[in-house]
Amino acid sequence: MKYITIAIDGPGAAGKSTVAREVANRLNYTYIDTGAMYRCLALYAIENHLDYMDDDILADAVDNLNINLTNNGKVYLNDKDVTRAIRGSKVTNIVSRVSSPRKVREKFVRLQQELAKNQNGVVMDGRDIGTVVLPDAELKIFQVASPAVRAKRRYEENLSKGIDTPLDVLEEEIRQRDYLDANKPFGALKKASDAIELDTSYLSIEEVVQIILKYAKDMIE
Ligand code: DC
C-alpha cells in the first residue's frame, strides 16, 4: 500500500474541513486543518490584547503558540481546548488580517511542512496547500461552492457546535473574507495548475468524500 499526500484548498466555509477530516479518517491518514492554526493566532492576539495590525507583533506571537490538532477535530492552544472559541465571529472577523503578513505565513508554512513529514498519509486543507505548503502533493483538490450555499453550511456547522450566528451575517462575513483572502499579497487563495476543481454546491458531504476517495484510491491501489 502506497501513502499519498492530499491537499484540499478552496474558499472559506466550502465544507473543506468536514470533507478533509472524513477522507483522512476513512484512509486512516493524519488530518491537518491549517485554517485552525491561523485561527489560533487570531484568538491568541485577541486574548492577549495584541495589536493585530502590527506584522512584527503577530510574527513574534507565532513562537508562543503550541497548537495541537487531534484527528477527531479538537484544537488545543497552549494546552487549552479552543475548538469552539476559534470558530466565533470575533476570531473569524480578524483572521484574514492576522494570516496576511509574510513573516507569519513563513512560520506557519514551515510548521505545516514539518507536521506533514514522516506521516503515513496526510490530508491537509487550507488556501495555499497545493501551491505553497505541499506543492508536491500527489492529489490536489480545489473545492468551491457558492457564497449562499457556504453560508448555509457554516450556519448548520455552527448550530451543531452551539453557536447561533444569523445566516445573513454569515453570508456577509463569507463574502468579505473571500475578498480579503483572494487579495492577500502572500498566500492568496489560488488554484494550483494541477488541482482538480470540485464544485460542491449541489453535492452532499458524502458525495464529495466519495469523489475524493475515488481519486485517492486510484493512486494508492
Ligand atoms: O478555513 P478557515 O475558515 O478556518 O480559515 C481561516 C482563515 O485563515 C481564513 O481567513 C484564511 C486563512 N488561511 C490561510 O490564509 N491559509 C491557510 N492555509 C488556511 C487558512
Side-chain angles (χ1 to χ4, degrees):
M1 176 101 123
K2 186 181 148 201
Y3 295 109
I4 61 167
T5 297
I6 304 175
I8 304 183
D9 288 301
K16 291 188 308 286
S17 33
T18 313
V19 164
R21 182 176 310 118
E22 201 50 40
V23 169
N25 283 341
R26 297 208 198 164
L27 293 171
N28 218 1
Y29 278 17
T30 298
Y31 166 53
I32 301 167
D33 177 352
T34 63
M37 300 173 79
Y38 290 102
R39 285 173 179 272
C40 281
L41 176 60
L43 181 66
Y44 184 89
I46 293 168
E47 288 185 340
N48 292 282
H49 311 288
L50 303 184
D51 177 2
Y52 58 82
M53 297 311 283
D54 187 317
D55 291 4
D56 291 326
I57 288 179
L58 286 175
D60 287 345
V62 178
D63 300 332
N64 300 330
L65 309 181
N66 178 14
I67 300 170
N68 189 2
L69 306 168
T70 72
N71 240 27
N72 63 8
K74 289 248 180 261
V75 181
Y76 292 88
L77 171 59
N78 298 334
D79 296 325
K80 198 172 120 201
D81 183 348
V82 296
T83 315
R84 240 192 103 196
I86 59 167
R87 304 286 160 199
S89 286
K90 271 196 209 153
V91 166
T92 300
N93 288 339
I94 69 159
V95 66
S96 198
R97 158 64 206 150
V98 163
S99 59
S100 292
R102 185 176 51 83
K103 281 192 259 178
V104 167
R105 300 204 68 85
E106 281 171 359
K107 286 188 178 180
F108 271 115
V109 167
R110 228 175 297 132
L111 219 60
Q112 289 154 5
Q113 288 169 337
E114 281 302 314
L115 284 175
K117 263 190 205 160
N118 308 321
Q119 303 277 2
N120 288 335
V122 169
V123 182
M124 189 180 279
D125 80 340
R127 303 291 189 285
D128 57 344
I129 310 306
T131 50
V132 178
V133 182
L134 304 172
D136 297 330
E138 284 89 349
L139 178 57
K140 299 181 184 176
I141 303 288
F142 195 75
Q143 190 176 326
V144 299
S146 71
V149 167
R150 286 187 278 141
K152 182 118 196 307
R153 284 184 188 162
R154 178 91 355 144
Y155 180 72
E156 279 156 14
E157 184 189 336
N158 280 353
L159 274 191
S160 73
K161 291 177 181 151
I163 304 163
D164 189 6
T165 312
L167 195 57
D168 56 333
V169 173
L170 290 176
E171 186 167 338
E172 186 47 33
E173 278 176 9
I174 281 170
R175 285 182 190 279
Q176 276 180 18
R177 218 145 52 89
D178 276 1
Y179 178 79
L180 294 172
D181 285 346
N183 290 287
K184 272 189 194 147
F186 312 102
L189 174 64
K190 207 172 119 217
K191 179 175 168 250
S193 57
D194 51 350
I196 298 162
E197 181 161 334
L198 213 55
D199 185 342
T200 68
S201 297
Y202 303 103
L203 297 175
S204 67
I205 286 174
E206 184 56 27
E207 286 170 321
V208 182
V209 169
Q210 287 303 332
I211 293 170
I212 298 176
L213 283 176
K214 169 102 180 51
Y215 282 118
K217 286 182 178 162
D218 284 347
M219 292 179 166
I220 297 166
E221 287 164 1

